[in-house]
PDB file of all heavy atoms in Angstrom:
ATOM      1  N   PRO A 302     -19.722 -17.267   3.031  1.00 75.00           N
ATOM      2  CA  PRO A 302     -20.127 -17.966   4.197  1.00 75.00           C
ATOM      3  C   PRO A 302     -19.456 -19.374   4.325  1.00 75.00           C
ATOM      4  O   PRO A 302     -19.173 -20.009   3.323  1.00 75.00           O
ATOM      5  CB  PRO A 302     -21.668 -18.132   3.899  1.00 75.00           C
ATOM      6  CG  PRO A 302     -22.047 -17.026   3.041  1.00 75.00           C
ATOM      7  CD  PRO A 302     -20.851 -16.794   2.168  1.00 75.00           C
ATOM      8  N   ALA A 303     -19.297 -19.769   5.518  1.00 78.00           N
ATOM      9  CA  ALA A 303     -18.687 -21.099   5.840  1.00 78.00           C
ATOM     10  C   ALA A 303     -19.521 -22.179   5.170  1.00 78.00           C
ATOM     11  O   ALA A 303     -20.754 -22.214   5.319  1.00 78.00           O
ATOM     12  CB  ALA A 303     -18.519 -21.307   7.330  1.00 78.00           C
ATOM     13  N   LEU A 306     -22.317 -23.970   7.090  1.00 78.00           N
ATOM     14  CA  LEU A 306     -23.538 -23.266   7.416  1.00 78.00           C
ATOM     15  C   LEU A 306     -24.437 -23.114   6.258  1.00 78.00           C
ATOM     16  O   LEU A 306     -25.527 -22.413   6.360  1.00 78.00           O
ATOM     17  CB  LEU A 306     -23.180 -21.863   7.966  1.00 78.00           C
ATOM     18  CG  LEU A 306     -22.287 -21.802   9.219  1.00 78.00           C
ATOM     19  CD1 LEU A 306     -21.986 -20.377   9.653  1.00 78.00           C
ATOM     20  CD2 LEU A 306     -22.886 -22.604  10.398  1.00 78.00           C
ATOM     21  N   VAL A 307     -24.146 -23.695   5.092  1.00 81.00           N
ATOM     22  CA  VAL A 307     -24.870 -23.523   3.874  1.00 81.00           C
ATOM     23  C   VAL A 307     -25.398 -24.901   3.479  1.00 81.00           C
ATOM     24  O   VAL A 307     -24.647 -25.870   3.365  1.00 81.00           O
ATOM     25  CB  VAL A 307     -24.063 -22.892   2.733  1.00 81.00           C
ATOM     26  CG1 VAL A 307     -24.879 -22.845   1.447  1.00 81.00           C
ATOM     27  CG2 VAL A 307     -23.585 -21.530   3.105  1.00 81.00           C
ATOM     28  N   ASP A 308     -26.690 -25.052   3.201  1.00 81.00           N
ATOM     29  CA  ASP A 308     -27.278 -26.247   2.718  1.00 81.00           C
ATOM     30  C   ASP A 308     -28.586 -25.906   1.949  1.00 81.00           C
ATOM     31  O   ASP A 308     -28.863 -24.696   1.696  1.00 81.00           O
ATOM     32  CB  ASP A 308     -27.615 -27.238   3.865  1.00 81.00           C
ATOM     33  CG  ASP A 308     -28.454 -26.597   4.968  1.00 81.00           C
ATOM     34  OD1 ASP A 308     -29.264 -25.744   4.650  1.00 81.00           O
ATOM     35  OD2 ASP A 308     -28.302 -27.010   6.124  1.00 81.00           O
ATOM     36  N   GLU A 309     -29.388 -26.892   1.627  1.00 81.00           N
ATOM     37  CA  GLU A 309     -30.622 -26.636   0.833  1.00 81.00           C
ATOM     38  C   GLU A 309     -31.551 -25.745   1.560  1.00 81.00           C
ATOM     39  O   GLU A 309     -32.280 -24.946   0.920  1.00 81.00           O
ATOM     40  CB  GLU A 309     -31.293 -27.948   0.474  1.00 81.00           C
ATOM     41  CG  GLU A 309     -30.508 -28.802  -0.541  1.00 81.00           C
ATOM     42  CD  GLU A 309     -31.253 -30.041  -0.998  1.00 81.00           C
ATOM     43  OE1 GLU A 309     -32.384 -30.206  -0.468  1.00 81.00           O
ATOM     44  OE2 GLU A 309     -30.747 -30.793  -1.803  1.00 81.00           O
ATOM     45  N   LYS A 310     -31.658 -25.884   2.903  1.00 81.00           N
ATOM     46  CA  LYS A 310     -32.571 -25.095   3.643  1.00 81.00           C
ATOM     47  C   LYS A 310     -32.005 -23.703   3.970  1.00 81.00           C
ATOM     48  O   LYS A 310     -32.793 -22.729   4.285  1.00 81.00           O
ATOM     49  CB  LYS A 310     -32.856 -25.746   4.986  1.00 81.00           C
ATOM     50  CG  LYS A 310     -33.671 -27.063   4.785  1.00 81.00           C
ATOM     51  CD  LYS A 310     -34.041 -27.654   6.200  1.00 81.00           C
ATOM     52  CE  LYS A 310     -34.838 -28.953   6.019  1.00 81.00           C
ATOM     53  NZ  LYS A 310     -35.202 -29.549   7.335  1.00 81.00           N
ATOM     54  N   ARG A 311     -30.677 -23.562   3.886  1.00 81.00           N
ATOM     55  CA  ARG A 311     -30.025 -22.322   4.136  1.00 81.00           C
ATOM     56  C   ARG A 311     -29.142 -22.029   2.937  1.00 81.00           C
ATOM     57  O   ARG A 311     -27.890 -22.120   2.973  1.00 81.00           O
ATOM     58  CB  ARG A 311     -29.206 -22.341   5.419  1.00 81.00           C
ATOM     59  CG  ARG A 311     -30.076 -22.601   6.685  1.00 81.00           C
ATOM     60  CD  ARG A 311     -29.219 -22.783   7.943  1.00 81.00           C
ATOM     61  NE  ARG A 311     -28.312 -23.950   7.809  1.00 81.00           N
ATOM     62  CZ  ARG A 311     -27.413 -24.273   8.722  1.00 81.00           C
ATOM     63  NH1 ARG A 311     -27.391 -23.657   9.816  1.00 81.00           N
ATOM     64  NH2 ARG A 311     -26.706 -25.376   8.570  1.00 81.00           N
ATOM     65  N   PRO A 312     -29.660 -21.601   1.836  1.00 83.00           N
ATOM     66  CA  PRO A 312     -28.901 -21.382   0.595  1.00 83.00           C
ATOM     67  C   PRO A 312     -28.006 -20.181   0.711  1.00 83.00           C
ATOM     68  O   PRO A 312     -28.260 -19.291   1.586  1.00 83.00           O
ATOM     69  CB  PRO A 312     -29.965 -21.250  -0.512  1.00 83.00           C
ATOM     70  CG  PRO A 312     -31.154 -20.725   0.241  1.00 83.00           C
ATOM     71  CD  PRO A 312     -31.154 -21.374   1.573  1.00 83.00           C
ATOM     72  N   LEU A 313     -27.040 -20.091  -0.124  1.00 80.00           N
ATOM     73  CA  LEU A 313     -26.132 -18.945  -0.195  1.00 80.00           C
ATOM     74  C   LEU A 313     -26.878 -17.703  -0.562  1.00 80.00           C
ATOM     75  O   LEU A 313     -27.638 -17.647  -1.581  1.00 80.00           O
ATOM     76  CB  LEU A 313     -25.047 -19.235  -1.253  1.00 80.00           C
ATOM     77  CG  LEU A 313     -23.750 -18.455  -1.155  1.00 80.00           C
ATOM     78  CD1 LEU A 313     -23.053 -18.760   0.153  1.00 80.00           C
ATOM     79  CD2 LEU A 313     -22.851 -18.771  -2.346  1.00 80.00           C
ATOM     80  N   SER A 314     -26.754 -16.634   0.255  1.00 80.00           N
ATOM     81  CA  SER A 314     -27.493 -15.434   0.064  1.00 80.00           C
ATOM     82  C   SER A 314     -26.654 -14.310  -0.537  1.00 80.00           C
ATOM     83  O   SER A 314     -27.190 -13.297  -1.067  1.00 80.00           O
ATOM     84  CB  SER A 314     -28.154 -14.900   1.370  1.00 80.00           C
ATOM     85  OG  SER A 314     -29.047 -15.835   1.912  1.00 80.00           O
ATOM     86  N   TYR A 315     -25.306 -14.423  -0.448  1.00 79.00           N
ATOM     87  CA  TYR A 315     -24.418 -13.388  -0.912  1.00 79.00           C
ATOM     88  C   TYR A 315     -23.321 -13.954  -1.830  1.00 79.00           C
ATOM     89  O   TYR A 315     -22.844 -15.013  -1.642  1.00 79.00           O
ATOM     90  CB  TYR A 315     -23.812 -12.713   0.327  1.00 79.00           C
ATOM     91  CG  TYR A 315     -24.712 -11.937   1.190  1.00 79.00           C
ATOM     92  CD1 TYR A 315     -25.310 -12.584   2.239  1.00 79.00           C
ATOM     93  CD2 TYR A 315     -25.032 -10.609   0.932  1.00 79.00           C
ATOM     94  CE1 TYR A 315     -26.267 -11.890   3.006  1.00 79.00           C
ATOM     95  CE2 TYR A 315     -25.904  -9.906   1.708  1.00 79.00           C
ATOM     96  CZ  TYR A 315     -26.477 -10.584   2.751  1.00 79.00           C
ATOM     97  OH  TYR A 315     -27.381  -9.911   3.590  1.00 79.00           O
ATOM     98  N   LYS A 343     -27.624 -12.076  -3.551  1.00 75.00           N
ATOM     99  CA  LYS A 343     -28.171 -12.929  -4.599  1.00 75.00           C
ATOM    100  C   LYS A 343     -29.644 -12.618  -4.791  1.00 75.00           C
ATOM    101  O   LYS A 343     -30.168 -12.868  -5.843  1.00 75.00           O
ATOM    102  CB  LYS A 343     -27.921 -14.354  -4.336  1.00 75.00           C
ATOM    103  CG  LYS A 343     -26.431 -14.738  -4.508  1.00 75.00           C
ATOM    104  CD  LYS A 343     -26.309 -16.241  -4.228  1.00 75.00           C
ATOM    105  CE  LYS A 343     -24.849 -16.703  -4.570  1.00 75.00           C
ATOM    106  NZ  LYS A 343     -24.626 -16.768  -6.010  1.00 75.00           N
ATOM    107  N   ASN A 344     -30.308 -12.125  -3.709  1.00 66.00           N
ATOM    108  CA  ASN A 344     -31.713 -11.819  -3.786  1.00 66.00           C
ATOM    109  C   ASN A 344     -31.827 -10.369  -3.332  1.00 66.00           C
ATOM    110  O   ASN A 344     -31.994 -10.059  -2.134  1.00 66.00           O
ATOM    111  CB  ASN A 344     -32.544 -12.678  -2.836  1.00 66.00           C
ATOM    112  CG  ASN A 344     -33.978 -12.320  -2.844  1.00 66.00           C
ATOM    113  OD1 ASN A 344     -34.409 -11.498  -3.698  1.00 66.00           O
ATOM    114  ND2 ASN A 344     -34.818 -12.879  -1.933  1.00 66.00           N
TER     115      ASN A 344
END
Side-chain angles (χ1 to χ4, degrees):
L306 302 179
V307 178
D308 54 32
E309 290 184 0
K310 294 182 178 179
R311 299 174 297 181
L313 201 63
S314 298
Y315 295 89
K343 287 181 172 288
N344 179 10

